[in-house]
Amino acid sequence: MFPSLKTLRARARDQAPGRQALAARARRVLALAEEDVLSVNEIACADPGCPDVETVILLMRARLPTRALTIGKPVEAVTDADIVAADEGADP
């Protein structure tokens, strides 16, 4: 069963510093340009074979298609190596 909207909003608020820190690390690890944009979100995944929670880093690079890097861990557990591996495995 999924948590209530109130619970999700509270968790998102509590996670904001962790998401911001991960976004800064991802920006450095992926050598993004100043005009490139990314967003970091943690989502619940109900699909069979999917981890309960995964982190999605959405990359919006100038003049390139948007890419989603999916990491099967919560935000606070994502490492720099996870970011690199997700980037190498993401669709171009």
Side-chain angles (χ1 to χ4, degrees):
M1 179 173 198
F2 288 103
S4 70
L5 186 57
K6 183 177 178 180
T7 300
L8 290 173
R9 285 185 179 150
R11 180 159 168 75
R13 184 178 51 250
D14 292 345
Q15 281 186 329
R19 285 193 324 272
Q20 290 169 350
L22 179 55
R25 283 193 298 123
R27 181 170 285 285
R28 177 183 47 77
V29 168
L30 299 171
L32 297 181
E34 189 174 316
E35 65 269 13
D36 297 332
V37 177
L38 65 84
S39 84
V40 175
N41 289 288
E42 185 179 281
I43 61 169
C45 185
D47 293 336
C50 181
D52 291 338
V53 175
E54 55 187 18
T55 297
V56 177
I57 301 173
L58 194 61
L59 296 176
M60 295 158 275
R61 289 183 161 158
R63 297 170 296 285
L64 293 173
T66 298
R67 295 174 59 219
L69 309 183
T70 304
I71 302 167
K73 297 179 177 180
V75 166
E76 61 272 4
V78 174
T79 66
D80 291 357
D82 293 328
I83 297 167
V84 171
D87 185 44
E88 290 172 353
D91 290 332

